[in-house]
Amino acid sequence: MPLRHGSAASAAALRSLRRATALVRSSVPLLVGGLVLPNALALAFGILAGVPARTSAIALYAALALLGGRLPGWALALLALPVIVLDLALAVGRMFFLDTDALLHLIDAGTLATLLATPAYAAGAAAVVGLALVYLAVLVQAGPAMRRGSRPVFAAAVAALLVGDGVVNGSTAYDFGALASVGQPFHSGSLASGFDALADQSRPPHRVLMVMVESLGVLRDAGQNGILTAPFDDPALRRLYTVTTGTSAFFGATASGEMRELCRTYRSHRQVFTQAFTQVFTGQTSAEDDPTCLPKRLAARGYRTVSVHGYHAGFYDRAQWYPLAGFRKSLFGETLAPRFARACGGPFPGPCDTDVAAVVEAELAAPGPAFVYWLTLNSHVPVPPGAATPRHDCGRPGSPFADREVCAMVEIWQDVFAAVSRIALAHPGTEILLVGDHAPPLWRRAARDAFEPGRVPWIRLAPLPVATAALP
């Protein structure tokens, strides 16, 4: 009897195993079409680098798969197209601190062509398109097979992927888009440093310079941060200026950083200046709706107000809203590029920041009081290798920056810092503020984690009385 009982138990176990195997086998098309294919690229990229959590996209792909065999294949593929676009928009937006509205306003044919000229972005785009075509083809052909899949098996797999995605990719380093500013107390480097108050002084300084440094984040390592800011430790500079530093919160991408530092608001330029256009046509004004931007306040006091940026005037609609913010003169890439024999590459190619520094200095040195605003360009991600003055043996043993990409960005920022230091020495008495627009949106998780999430640094160079007294 015991032997017969054991044989029966073994047979039952074998039958259960066969049923389970058959269940899983029948579920393969559903698992492939609902989870593997639509999420394969994000899974691979998440392992190699890092992506934001994609909870809504994973759930939508799973819901589409459950319609397999119930709808014609072509209808299922049509439904999948907007999900793919939404998935891509949300992932890219979170990586680069852009809300969907801002992303739609930025991406046009010209911008796409420029980005796709960058090998890293071109490879990513090719991978997205290729995998999307395979996914759509499977939806068209495999609907009936997907319908035969086990719902419990599929539900368990979806739950496991959602949990794993949240654990691996749920980093707060991505959660600083413009919408995250709602309900948050306002902070800016301009206010915290006292720089914004210069326009309200009874005797404002003769020269004022604000430098917004592209993707300048707060390094977690104090030693690395000290290396970055070394250009401002020059004893000659310290005899002329008091150097103070700090950090402030950021929300959104570059244009949000500009509105934060220039106009004392977390609202976007579209929100603020669309209202301004409306008020011009209706004759209605509202002090609450007027951000009282720093260049406008200084222009009212007789300053020449000049903006300098190496990219084209249409990006972020700067040609339209810069004059409304108070800039009487703006120099963009269209004007600057012909002045220089060389250009710097990257996803947004244009004049090299080290060359543009000479234009900034010339505008400061022109007769009369001046406020010059310089938005740098060359430290957009991904930074091409060898784009800056080599200082730190990037990628080699013994470098103070273990991560090669972080090291390359530091070298670009130091080129800007060195240029600003030279301007400060050449023109004593100049009030100077350097501030980051947002943390660097680096792709790899280790590189991104080298920076404090949600913070940008500011550096204020305030003239000492001896330097101010020397002014003509």
Side-chain angles (χ1 to χ4, degrees):
M1 283 293 293
L3 182 60
R4 188 176 301 169
H5 178 73
S7 298
S10 298
L14 184 59
R15 286 194 298 271
S16 297
L17 179 61
R18 286 173 178 170
R19 283 196 297 268
T21 302
L23 195 64
V24 171
R25 187 182 297 115
S26 68
S27 300
V28 167
L30 181 59
L31 293 169
V32 170
L35 288 184
V36 176
L37 279 178
N39 298 295
L41 188 61
L43 289 170
F45 197 77
I47 294 170
L48 296 173
V51 292
R54 300 168 46 257
T55 305
S56 58
I58 293 170
L60 285 171
Y61 288 129
L64 278 174
L66 293 175
L67 296 175
R70 302 177 186 274
L71 293 177
W74 61 266
L76 200 60
L78 283 179
L79 288 175
L81 282 173
V83 177
I84 294 171
V85 173
L86 178 65
D87 182 14
L88 188 62
L90 291 177
V92 171
R94 287 191 68 197
M95 286 192 73
F96 293 93
F97 314 117
L98 291 162
D99 57 59
T100 305
D101 180 60
L103 191 63
L104 291 175
H105 278 83
L106 280 181
I107 301 301
D108 55 24
T111 303
L112 278 175
T114 301
L115 291 174
L116 292 178
T118 305
Y121 286 116
V128 167
V129 171
L131 196 59
L133 291 175
V134 173
Y135 169 56
L136 294 174
V138 168
L139 291 183
V140 170
Q141 298 293 330
M146 291 168 64
R147 186 173 182 178
R148 292 192 293 270
S150 167
R151 270 41 183 174
V153 169
F154 186 64
V158 171
L161 182 58
L162 287 170
V163 171
D165 181 61
V167 170
V168 175
N169 297 320
S171 170
T172 58
Y174 298 109
D175 298 329
F176 298 98
L179 292 177
S181 67
V182 176
Q184 297 294 325
F186 182 77
H187 296 280
S188 75
S190 186
L191 283 176
S193 66
F195 188 84
D196 183 79
L198 293 175
D200 304 321
Q201 293 181 355
S202 57
R203 295 183 62 186
H206 191 73
R207 289 183 293 265
V208 182
L209 171 63
M210 179 187 289
V211 184
M212 178 158 283
V213 185
E214 171 60 40
S215 299
L216 178 63
V218 179
L219 285 160
R220 293 180 186 269
D221 187 280
Q224 292 180 345
N225 193 62
I227 293 171
L228 170 63
T229 58
F232 301 120
D233 293 333
D234 182 353
L237 184 76
R238 294 284 182 153
R239 285 194 291 269
L240 297 174
Y241 293 88
T242 297
V243 180
T244 54
T245 63
T247 71
S248 63
F250 80 87
F251 299 97
T254 301
S256 296
E258 294 185 276
M259 292 299 295
R260 182 190 73 233
E261 299 298 336
L262 292 171
C263 298
R264 299 189 296 198
T265 182
Y266 283 148
R267 291 182 298 161
S268 73
H269 63 280
R270 289 184 303 282
Q271 292 173 314
V272 170
F273 296 114
T274 296
Q275 291 176 345
F277 275 124
T278 302
Q279 290 166 5
V280 168
F281 286 115
T282 63
Q284 298 175 348
T285 59
S286 167
E288 183 180 351
D289 289 337
D290 183 2
T292 318
C293 300
L294 181 59
K296 182 185 289 187
R297 291 155 56 206
L298 288 169
R301 301 199 64 172
Y303 278 67
R304 294 171 50 254
T305 52
V306 184
S307 68
V308 182
H309 181 47
Y311 204 54
H312 71 78
F315 202 60
Y316 277 119
D317 306 315
R318 290 187 176 103
Q320 282 72 47
W321 69 266
Y322 271 19
L324 294 171
F327 289 113
R328 300 294 179 256
K329 178 181 179 181
S330 290
L331 300 173
F332 291 107
E334 295 89 337
T335 302
L336 296 171
R339 300 188 185 189
F340 307 110
R342 64 171 183 161
C344 283
F348 297 99
C352 299
D353 290 334
T354 48
D355 293 335
V356 173
V359 176
V360 171
E361 182 175 4
E363 292 294 337
L364 275 175
F371 169 62
V372 179
Y373 166 65
W374 177 20
L375 174 61
T376 70
L377 179 64
N378 301 152
S379 44
H380 278 99
V381 173
V383 172
T389 305
R391 291 182 173 89
H392 304 303
D393 294 325
C394 296
R396 297 178 182 176
S399 172
F401 297 90
D403 189 280
R404 184 168 188 161
E405 191 172 12
V406 172
C407 185
M409 294 196 79
V410 166
E411 290 185 336
I412 289 181
W413 294 331
Q414 282 194 303
D415 277 350
V416 172
F417 289 4
V420 172
S421 180
R422 288 192 295 270
I423 291 172
L425 288 170
H427 303 279
T430 303
E431 286 280 2
I432 301 173
L433 176 70
L434 300 97
V435 62
D437 52 356
H438 54 75
L442 294 158
W443 294 355
R444 289 178 302 102
R445 193 176 292 110
R448 201 172 184 119
D449 288 347
F451 297 88
E452 293 283 351
R455 309 295 296 181
V456 290
W458 56 263
I459 303 168
R460 169 102 185 262
L461 276 63
L464 291 168
V466 63
T468 305
L471 287 174

